[in-house]
Amino acid sequence: MNAPGNSTNGFIQFGQRLVFGARPIILILFLLGTAAMLYQASKLRVDAGFMKQIPLEHEYMQTFLFHQEFGGANRLLVALMAEDGDMFDAEYFQSLEDLTDRVTYIPGVDRATVRSIFTPNVRFVEVVEGGFSGGNVIPSDFRPDPEVFERVRANIVKSGEIGRLVTSDFSGAMVWANLLEEDPLTGEKIDYQQVAAELETIRSDFQNEAHSMHIIGFAKIVGDIADGARSVIMFFAFAIVITLILLWIYARSIKLVLAPMLCAIVAVIWCLGGLQTMGFGIDPMNILTPFLIFAIGVSHGVQMVSGWIVEKYFTGKSPTECIEESLAVESLPINTSLGAAKGAFARLLAPGAIALLSDTIGFLTILLIDIRIIQELAITASVGVAVIILTNLILLPVLLSYVKMGNDEGYRQAAYDRAGTSAPIWGWAATMAKPGPARVALAVAAVLFAFSFWKSHDVQIGDSESGVPELRENSRYNQDARLISERFALGVDVIGIITETASESCTEDYEVMRRIDEVAWQIRNVEGVQKVLTLSMVAKIVNAGWNEGNPNWRTLSRDQFIMRQAISGIETNTGLLNADCSAMPILVFTEDHKAETIKRVVAEVKNLREQYNLLPESVQLVSQDDDTSTAAEADSPADLQANVCAEADESCLRIRLATGNVGVMAAVNEVISAAQTPILLWVYSAIVVLCLITFRSIAATLAIVLPLALVSYLAYTVMALLGIGLKVNTLPVVALGVGIGVDYGIYIYSRLQSLLKEGCPLDVAYYRTLRLTGRAVLFTAVTLAVGVGTWLFSPLKFQADMGLLLAFFFLLNMIAAILLLPALCQVLLSKKAKNA
């Protein structure tokens, strides 16, 4: 029996006595623990939340939270369209009124924010001979006849809601509403799936041959994702069936198939039960994580099963080694199952523990991203992999120690016969350990690295496509979003830029209003901006109205009484000012929420705030950095949670980013951009440290880590070529791919190192290493790739993207480890080590 290293022999022997001396106790403990965790897992609930999606400590989100009176990104938009293209008929108006009432009473809706042409907060203003006249868009004496319909049509035009609440061709109208995180009536956390179900009920009640319904908003996204996530059960079933087939092909024994499968299922149960015990739910966006845990558990279990077979039937040698040494297989003694389990435990404890610790660290580094949904994913996955350390390195060897094979001689002969079938493949791969092929392999790798490093800069931080990228392009939600964007002029993507001033500055401080107006004009000329709305623009229109509509008067007045006259009719529910006029948003409607669009708008706003901020000496702020990504790097926390201009006794203006759905996306994109490099540095640093501790060799550590770096950049290249942005769903994949991908190199080098210590030259040692571990490593990669590959057929695009990237990582890391690790060893290891 060859232990991984002499320095660990004492610990391994202690572990053997501890584990195998108390096998019944261990089985009872795992049985009781699994029963308890199964009970806890049965109580686990889907837990979705809007606030989990955003980086709450980011500068923009501090603005978002401080100025919640202007509404947020958690909005519902429900459009009712007339199929004949004309909304002016009695049936349509009755349906729209009923729809407004139904939306108003959805649990969690902030009723004060509901807007439609039937709500009293949607009014019109017109210039008449004596000044201004106005009223509700739907008059109090409304009746469905042609005369009143013409009045309503005129009122809609005068209200300025064309393109917002009503389409420009009068073929449909919308109802807007903001959702709260807690139901204002019960105080309980809002159930987004219940809201989504209620919206679908409303759709079924109102949609008919005459009218179509189109619904968008965060709650609807959560509902659609939750519906799609239910298909994960089917994918899990497929993965189990495929894994069973692959395990059978590998082990050719139902007992050796069921043992690692059982341990992987136990790990999943403990993972889900642990989440419930810690007070977490499971988010629809993270629902695939337990099934990733299952695939990791099975793949590592294969290594233990392989080691057990070697120890039981071939006295610690691989079948191929027996062939090479001309050993008669029938002359070899057959070990007991207990002895084989002890041998496999001793051989794989160190590399298995290091590999699984690398996986765990890969997950834990994701905690650096200050977005709760990602942190929950990190916790879920870390708990699962930590449990796998127990199930695969303790429970599985104990289970294998009880396995009784029906025909030991027949099984050994079959394994012996199969060993010769893969020799040509491993013989070719082993040539990479020779000087000539090694140089060629490293030269090709260098070219691939240079290309992928260059191409990786094309990866977008954020969404690279319009619509909701988590869903398929042809999903109902994205079809609704496209229709609303096309038929309503202002679209659905908006970023709110908050201008903070002293109280009543909108009527008393011309300089502040002038600056706000100029900022709005500058932003309006940015590529990708559809329209800009701000109080100063409305004030100019009203001022012209007071002067017979003369365009020469469409300007801001320096006279505070005239300004008060222009603004007095503009209510706070328009979202253009707060109660004391100390905050006035600049609403920027964008054509889409693609990463490049958001980046252009945000960059322009950051540039403009440096030019137009007006902060007197009495107001002291931490300097704002154009590259800010967190609150700590911009204003101080106290500054971000207050309007520092509110009490100023002179002109004061501070421009702050950002509210609206695009503002949230901008914050998320900046957090991800700032986190991606530190996360990879932490993952690689942890792997380097673990490899140095395990193998005590810088050359060996580089041989294991450098192929990982190449695959990481190749993954960025794939993302750039396929248009997959780096965002909440994909950034964790990069860290996970590295953490899990290092397993191959660890298992391969662990065996290679032991053969080198026995005196084998590098090329011979590597050939024998592949004959022993190559099949298990290949199976591990295929098992992992198949497990996540089923996600490609998910109705949710983000799951398909994750499945594609993870499968790429698993397969490419395996190929890179098999081909580049020996080439790097040839270059980096000392002559003495290579020809021991």
Side-chain angles (χ1 to χ4, degrees):
M1 180 178 65
N2 296 316
N6 293 331
S7 62
T8 60
N9 281 344
F11 174 77
I12 291 173
Q13 289 172 5
F14 172 76
Q16 279 183 326
R17 291 194 299 270
L18 184 66
V19 171
F20 294 99
R23 291 185 296 164
I25 296 175
I26 288 175
L27 290 177
I28 291 171
L29 289 176
F30 269 101
L31 181 62
L32 294 176
T34 302
M37 289 296 105
L38 184 61
Y39 172 72
Q40 288 292 92
S42 68
K43 299 189 293 183
L44 189 67
R45 295 292 179 263
V46 174
D47 178 25
F50 177 73
M51 290 300 180
K52 292 164 59 175
Q53 311 281 330
I54 65 179
L56 295 176
E57 298 302 317
H58 190 279
E59 174 199 351
Y60 305 168
M61 295 303 93
Q62 290 289 300
T63 303
F64 174 89
L65 295 173
F66 183 69
H67 289 286
Q68 292 192 52
E69 70 268 26
F70 297 121
N74 196 1
R75 176 180 290 174
L76 287 176
L77 285 81
V78 184
L80 184 67
M81 307 298 297
E83 290 295 292
D84 62 1
D86 184 7
M87 60 183 276
F88 290 100
D89 65 62
E91 183 183 357
Y92 179 90
F93 269 70
Q94 185 61 57
S95 295
L96 184 60
E97 183 178 14
D98 293 342
L99 175 62
T100 302
D101 292 339
R102 289 284 294 275
V103 170
T104 301
Y105 290 99
I106 291 176
V109 164
D110 184 357
R111 295 176 185 176
T113 66
V114 177
R115 300 185 77 241
S116 88
I117 59 173
F118 275 94
T119 57
N121 57 0
V122 177
R123 299 171 59 83
F124 72 93
V125 178
E126 62 180 329
V127 179
V128 295
E129 186 174 349
F132 285 90
S133 176
N136 293 338
V137 169
I138 304 296
S140 58
D141 60 346
F142 175 79
R143 60 184 184 279
D145 62 37
E147 180 183 350
V148 176
F149 280 146
E150 285 305 311
R151 284 173 56 196
V152 171
R153 185 193 299 266
N155 290 348
I156 291 172
V157 173
K158 289 179 285 188
S159 71
E161 296 294 345
I162 295 292
R164 300 184 72 186
L165 290 177
V166 180
T167 62
S168 56
D169 61 357
F170 295 101
S171 61
M174 262 201 299
V175 180
W176 292 7
N178 286 342
L179 279 175
L180 303 170
E181 274 294 289
E182 295 180 350
D183 191 317
L185 296 179
T186 64
E188 296 179 356
K189 187 176 179 181
I190 186 173
D191 185 342
Y192 284 96
Q193 292 186 77
Q194 180 183 343
V195 173
E198 177 65 22
L199 288 170
E200 282 303 316
T201 301
I202 291 174
R203 189 200 298 270
S204 63
D205 291 344
F206 285 88
Q207 183 160 291
N208 50 46
E209 294 181 357
H211 307 140
S212 64
M213 284 277 295
H214 308 274
I215 308 169
I216 60 176
F218 176 76
K220 192 66 180 70
I221 294 173
V222 170
D224 287 358
I225 289 176
D227 290 341
R230 293 188 180 97
S231 63
V232 169
I233 304 300
M234 179 180 64
F235 298 140
F236 187 42
F238 284 155
I240 289 177
V241 171
I242 295 172
T243 303
L244 281 170
I245 294 172
L246 292 174
L247 274 171
W248 172 258
I249 293 172
Y250 179 80
R252 305 296 175 93
S253 166
I254 190 63
K255 296 175 182 177
L256 298 182
V257 167
L258 293 179
M261 290 283 288
L262 176 63
C263 290
I265 292 172
V266 167
V268 172
I269 292 172
W270 281 46
C271 174
L272 297 177
L275 285 179
Q276 172 65 22
T277 302
M278 291 186 292
F280 292 101
I282 187 164
D283 194 280
M285 303 287 280
N286 294 337
I287 204 160
L288 288 175
T289 308
F291 307 129
L292 178 61
I293 298 302
F294 173 79
I296 295 172
V298 171
S299 65
H300 282 275
V302 170
Q303 298 290 341
M304 187 62 71
V305 169
S306 175
W308 183 87
I309 292 172
V310 167
E311 294 292 335
K312 181 171 178 63
Y313 295 111
F314 303 100
T315 62
K317 297 179 181 292
S318 71
T320 52
E321 288 177 302
C322 296
I323 294 172
E324 292 165 8
E325 296 174 16
S326 300
L327 296 175
V329 67
E330 61 274 6
S331 67
L332 297 175
I334 294 177
N335 201 351
T336 64
S337 294
L338 177 59
K342 288 182 177 180
F345 175 87
R347 185 184 296 278
L348 294 174
L349 179 61
I354 294 301
L356 287 168
L357 280 174
S358 299
D359 298 348
T360 304
I361 290 170
F363 287 115
L364 285 175
T365 55
I366 306 172
L367 287 170
L368 293 172
I369 304 175
D370 190 22
I371 300 175
R372 186 181 165 193
I373 188 172
I374 297 181
Q375 293 174 337
E376 287 186 4
L377 182 150
I379 293 170
T380 305
S382 300
V383 169
V385 177
V387 173
I388 290 175
I389 295 177
L390 300 177
T391 57
N392 279 33
L393 298 182
I394 296 178
L395 177 61
L396 183 55
V398 170
L399 291 176
L400 291 174
S401 71
Y402 286 105
V403 169
K404 303 296 182 184
M405 303 295 285
N407 184 357
D408 282 332
E409 290 292 348
Y411 187 87
R412 179 170 64 177
Q413 187 63 50
Y416 186 81
D417 294 339
R418 289 195 302 269
T421 60
S422 58
I425 299 174
W426 305 133
W428 173 79
T431 61
M432 299 300 142
K434 297 179 179 180
R439 294 191 197 96
V440 173
L442 294 178
V444 172
V447 172
L448 285 175
F449 181 83
F451 171 75
S452 59
F453 181 81
W454 166 72
K455 192 65 178 176
S456 67
H457 292 86
D458 292 341
V459 176
Q460 296 286 342
I461 306 294
D463 295 332
S464 57
E465 300 176 358
S466 57
V468 176
E470 288 78 14
L471 303 172
R472 298 283 187 180
E473 185 179 359
N474 61 351
S475 67
R476 179 63 178 269
Y477 185 97
N478 279 335
Q479 291 181 32
D480 286 351
R482 279 195 297 272
L483 182 140
I484 290 175
S485 181
E486 292 168 358
R487 304 293 286 276
F488 293 85
L490 293 186
V492 296
D493 294 317
V494 60
I495 178 170
I497 301 156
I498 306 298
T499 60
E500 294 179 342
T501 70
S503 179
E504 305 302 333
S505 289
C506 58
T507 58
E508 298 177 0
D509 198 324
Y510 168 79
E511 178 60 21
V512 165
M513 293 296 287
R514 182 191 67 80
R515 287 179 177 239
I516 293 173
D517 194 54
E518 287 189 11
V519 169
W521 184 85
Q522 295 274 11
I523 296 172
R524 192 159 52 242
N525 290 285
V526 174
E527 181 185 354
V529 171
Q530 193 176 47
K531 189 172 182 178
V532 176
L533 290 177
T534 187
L535 182 65
S536 61
M537 297 169 56
V538 177
K540 290 193 292 185
I541 295 172
V542 174
N543 194 41
W546 279 109
N547 293 275
E548 300 179 343
N550 190 327
N552 290 330
W553 287 94
R554 197 164 185 167
T555 183
L556 293 172
S557 175
R558 295 176 182 270
D559 188 311
Q560 64 179 352
F561 297 104
I562 294 177
M563 283 297 293
R564 188 172 291 123
Q565 175 181 256
I567 292 174
S568 60
I570 303 173
E571 300 179 2
T572 57
N573 58 26
T574 61
L576 297 177
L577 74 167
N578 64 355
D580 64 353
C581 216
S582 62
M584 294 166 275
I586 300 173
L587 300 178
V588 182
F589 293 84
T590 59
E591 294 176 355
D592 52 55
H593 54 253
K594 293 181 181 178
E596 60 267 26
T597 303
I598 296 175
K599 192 173 182 180
R600 279 195 301 268
V601 173
V602 169
E604 180 64 17
V605 173
K606 288 182 177 180
N607 178 56
L608 291 172
R609 75 180 180 185
E610 294 298 316
Q611 299 179 45
Y612 287 93
N613 269 359
L614 183 61
L615 300 174
E617 293 182 1
S618 59
V619 176
Q620 296 295 326
L621 289 177
V622 178
S623 62
Q624 290 179 314
D625 183 351
D626 282 353
D627 296 324
T628 182
S629 61
T630 66
E633 295 170 342
D635 299 337
S636 69
D639 291 337
L640 291 170
Q641 296 166 13
N643 179 358
V644 296
C645 288
E647 302 301 326
D649 54 4
E650 53 188 314
S651 293
C652 182
L653 173 64
R654 181 169 66 150
I655 300 170
R656 292 178 61 174
L657 287 159
T659 64
N661 67 312
V662 174
V664 172
M665 292 178 188
V668 171
N669 291 353
E670 290 193 5
V671 166
I672 289 175
S673 178
Q676 62 167 326
T677 300
I679 283 176
L680 289 178
L681 288 177
W682 276 107
V683 172
Y684 278 104
S685 297
I687 290 172
V688 167
V689 170
L690 289 173
C691 289
L692 286 174
I693 293 172
T694 305
F695 301 115
R696 310 293 177 86
S697 168
I698 295 176
T701 300
L702 291 174
I704 292 170
V705 171
L706 289 179
L708 292 176
L710 170 62
V711 175
S712 292
Y713 278 99
L714 286 173
Y716 281 127
T717 301
V718 170
M719 292 172 66
L721 293 174
L722 297 181
I724 300 174
L726 195 63
K727 49 195 176 183
V728 169
N729 304 319
T730 52
L731 178 59
V733 172
V734 178
L736 304 186
V738 174
I740 297 173
V742 73
D743 298 351
Y744 310 119
I746 290 173
Y747 280 117
I748 289 173
Y749 192 82
S750 176
R751 181 60 177 169
L752 176 64
Q753 185 184 53
S754 66
L755 291 173
L756 289 174
K757 288 180 178 179
E758 291 175 6
C760 294
L762 177 62
D763 55 341
V764 175
Y766 192 64
Y767 175 70
R768 293 177 64 181
T769 296
L770 291 180
R771 295 295 295 270
L772 174 63
T773 64
R775 192 161 171 260
V777 167
L778 178 62
F779 181 84
T780 297
V782 172
T783 302
L784 284 167
V786 168
V788 299
T790 56
W791 304 354
L792 290 170
F793 304 100
S794 170
L796 305 178
K797 189 175 184 299
F798 84 93
Q799 289 183 348
D801 289 344
M802 289 179 68
L804 173 65
L805 290 176
L806 283 171
F808 176 86
F809 265 112
F810 297 151
L811 293 175
L812 262 289
N813 274 319
M814 179 267 295
I815 294 171
I818 289 176
L819 298 182
L820 295 183
L821 187 148
L824 287 164
C825 286
Q826 172 60 231
V827 173
L828 297 173
L829 289 180
S830 66
K831 184 177 181 181
K832 180 180 179 181
K834 289 186 289 187
N835 300 283

